[in-house]
């Protein structure tokens, strides 16, 4: 669709009014408000650096992981980090806190009840590598939250908890490689990580420019869309801007989910830490402190890197080649 053809729909303000209303109702994360352009630049560079077609038609995971082996390996992996984690895990297993009933990655979570202090850790149950890696991911959320000892998340935990959980997945792969388990599946699973973050990245890049206009004036206009069609490469690549705006205006579309930056940011920082070969001791320190300190203090524990260095680390971590320009 040409620029002239795209202009034809812009006299219709209804979609923009609905989108503006949805922004009015959106709880705004302080970190997102302050860093949304920095995040957009980081995610855009990540998108441009990957040959994204490589994440489609991935081979099926082939190694069989019965449930007993999954929990045994998780216990051994946690013990390799710190024996106290393995002890907590075994107690949670005995007490029924581990629930293997999710049917997709997006149903996995660390569920907590602030009032009662109860919690459950839900993870996949496919008898494949997914089970162990999602269990590592979700149980790391439990460990880093220190729930129920600490029931409210620090600002550091709200921003960087996914970084530690994704690092736990990468270290789980190291643990399996060291023990020569499921070797044929390990690299495939890295591509699975990229694939499940792709939609987060693309959704963020579509919504963030509108979010920026909203923050500037609390009102979206046709001129805003015109400027995106002239200047924004993501909008220029859309088959139909009207269809994209219609999707954003739909009741089922969540701006909170679309502006969710923690998973892709977590993947990037986890890649950087893993590429730096972070020690288990240093990793345990991050786990034990993320919910006891605020954002600025926790960031002092992270390596100081430029956006370019973070992207290079992520590209190296997942074995992709940079796109030919």
């Amino acid at each position: 669709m040409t620029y002239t053809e795209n202009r034809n729909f812009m006299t219709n303000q209804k979609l923009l009014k609905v989108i503006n209303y949805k922004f009015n109702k959106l709880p705004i994360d302080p970190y997102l408000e302050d860093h949304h352009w920095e995040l957009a630049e980081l995610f855009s560079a990540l998108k441009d650096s990957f040959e994204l077609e490589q994440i489609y038609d991935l081979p099926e995971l082939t190694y069989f992981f019965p449930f007993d082996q999954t929990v045994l390996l998780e216990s051994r992996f946690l013990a390799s980090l710190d024996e106290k984690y393995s002890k907590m895990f075994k107690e949670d297993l005995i007490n029924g806190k581990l629930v293997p009933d999710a049917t997709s990655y997006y149903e996995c979570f660390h569920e907590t009840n602030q009032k009662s202090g109860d919690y459950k850790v839900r993870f996949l149950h496919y008898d494949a590598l997914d089970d162990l890696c999602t269990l590592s991911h979700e149980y790391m959320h439990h460990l880093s939250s220190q729930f129920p000892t600490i029931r409210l998340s620090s600002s550091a935990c709200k921003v960087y908890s996914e970084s530690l959980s994704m690092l736990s997945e990468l270290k789980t792969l190291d643990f399996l490689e060291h023990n020569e388990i499921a070797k044929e599946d390990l690299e495939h699973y890295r591509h699975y990580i990229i694939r499940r973050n792709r939609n987060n990245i693309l959704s963020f890049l579509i919504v963030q420019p509108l979010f920026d206009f909203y923050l500037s004036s609390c009102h979206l206009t046709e001129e805003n869309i015109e400027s995106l069609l002239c200047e924004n490469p993501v909008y220029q690549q859309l088959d139909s801007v009207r269809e994209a705006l219609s999707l954003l205006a739909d009741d089922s579309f969540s701006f909170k989910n679309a502006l969710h930056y923690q998973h892709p940011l977590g993947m990037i920082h986890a890649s950087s830490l893993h590429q730096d070969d972070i020690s288990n001791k240093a990793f345990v320190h991050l786990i034990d402190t993320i919910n006891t300190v605020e954002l600025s203090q926790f960031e002092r524990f992270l390596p100081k890197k430029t956006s370019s260095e973070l992207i290079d680390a992520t590209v190296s971590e997942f074995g992709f080649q940079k796109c030919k320009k």
Side-chain angles (χ1 to χ4, degrees):
M1 183 176 287
T2 66
Y3 173 68
T4 301
E5 289 170 331
N6 270 320
R7 284 186 60 129
N8 291 336
F9 83 90
M10 292 183 187
T11 56
N12 185 354
Q13 282 285 320
K14 185 176 180 180
L15 293 177
L16 293 178
K17 287 181 179 179
V18 173
I19 292 171
N20 197 76
Y21 176 79
K22 292 176 76 170
F23 275 130
N24 286 337
K25 298 296 183 180
L26 179 70
I28 297 179
D29 173 352
Y31 185 88
L32 175 66
E33 184 172 4
D34 292 341
H35 297 277
H36 65 94
W37 268 115
E38 177 185 331
L39 290 166
E41 290 172 1
L42 194 61
F43 296 165
S44 180
L46 178 61
K47 172 181 171 291
D48 291 343
S49 293
F50 286 156
E51 296 280 5
L52 288 176
E53 62 270 18
Q54 295 183 34
I55 67 174
Y56 294 106
D57 300 322
L58 296 178
E60 293 291 329
L61 300 174
T62 59
Y63 188 90
F64 181 68
F65 277 88
F67 180 76
D68 288 349
Q69 185 187 27
T70 296
V71 294
L72 175 61
L73 288 172
E74 180 65 15
S75 178
R76 289 173 55 195
F77 164 65
L78 292 171
S80 74
L81 300 179
D82 195 306
E83 285 289 348
K84 66 183 179 183
Y85 296 156
S86 181
K87 181 180 178 181
M88 292 170 62
F89 177 81
K90 291 174 183 176
E91 291 174 353
D92 285 335
L93 180 62
I94 292 171
N95 293 327
K97 303 297 186 183
L98 308 177
V99 185
D101 69 347
T103 59
S104 76
Y105 175 82
Y106 301 99
E107 294 177 5
C108 299
F109 54 88
H110 169 223
E111 178 185 30
T112 61
N113 186 311
Q114 300 286 348
K115 292 183 178 179
S116 68
D118 192 23
Y119 58 90
K120 300 284 186 182
V121 179
R122 300 185 183 274
F123 60 100
L124 289 174
H125 186 35
Y126 284 137
D127 291 337
L129 181 58
D130 303 54
D131 299 8
L132 179 59
C133 288
T134 55
L135 177 55
S136 290
H137 183 114
E138 298 305 325
Y139 200 72
M140 187 54 59
H141 278 312
H142 174 57
L143 293 176
S144 58
S145 72
Q146 299 190 26
F147 193 89
T149 304
I150 297 177
R151 298 190 182 185
L152 297 175
S153 295
S154 68
S155 58
C157 200
K158 290 174 182 176
V159 173
Y160 288 116
S161 64
E162 294 297 342
S163 302
L164 301 192
S165 284
M166 291 194 179
L167 181 56
S168 183
E169 289 190 64
L170 297 177
K171 279 189 165 283
T172 296
L173 299 181
D174 291 342
F175 173 81
L176 293 175
E177 183 176 21
H178 178 75
N179 288 279
E180 298 187 344
I181 298 172
K183 291 188 293 184
E184 62 275 22
D185 287 343
L186 302 184
E187 286 307 310
H188 295 329
Y189 189 78
R190 292 177 187 275
H191 293 7
Y192 277 69
I193 294 174
I194 287 288
R195 185 167 69 180
R196 74 179 186 232
N197 280 281
R198 180 178 183 271
N199 286 342
N200 278 130
I201 291 169
L202 295 180
S203 295
F204 187 96
L205 292 176
I206 289 173
V207 175
Q208 181 273 333
L210 299 177
F211 180 66
D212 182 58
F213 285 129
Y214 171 78
L215 291 178
S216 299
S217 64
C218 294
H219 183 66
L220 299 175
T221 67
E222 295 178 6
E223 287 74 20
N224 296 150
I225 305 303
E226 286 190 17
S227 68
L228 292 178
L229 289 169
C230 291
E231 302 168 7
N232 188 289
V234 174
Y235 275 77
Q236 290 171 348
Q237 292 169 13
L238 292 174
D239 292 334
S240 169
V241 174
R242 180 177 176 78
E243 288 182 11
L245 293 178
S246 297
L247 174 62
L248 299 183
D250 191 88
D251 289 343
S252 65
F253 189 89
S254 167
F255 277 21
K256 181 179 179 181
N257 291 342
L259 289 171
H260 175 81
Y261 59 86
Q262 287 90 342
H263 275 89
L265 182 65
M267 180 178 66
I268 291 167
H269 278 282
S271 299
S272 173
L273 290 166
H274 193 246
Q275 286 289 302
D276 288 346
D277 198 22
I278 182 175
S279 69
N280 286 345
K281 182 179 179 180
F283 185 27
V284 168
H285 176 67
L286 293 178
I287 297 166
D288 288 348
T289 60
I290 190 170
N291 205 24
T292 65
V293 299
E294 294 308 313
L295 185 64
S296 59
Q297 185 175 351
F298 184 78
E299 288 180 331
R300 297 191 194 117
F301 303 141
L302 301 176
K304 298 295 183 284
K305 292 189 176 182
T306 64
S307 295
S308 177
E309 289 171 329
L310 289 171
I311 292 301
D312 286 345
T314 309
V315 171
S316 296
E317 179 64 37
F318 292 98
F320 285 104
Q321 298 297 317
K322 288 194 173 180
C323 293
K324 296 178 181 179
K325 300 296 183 183

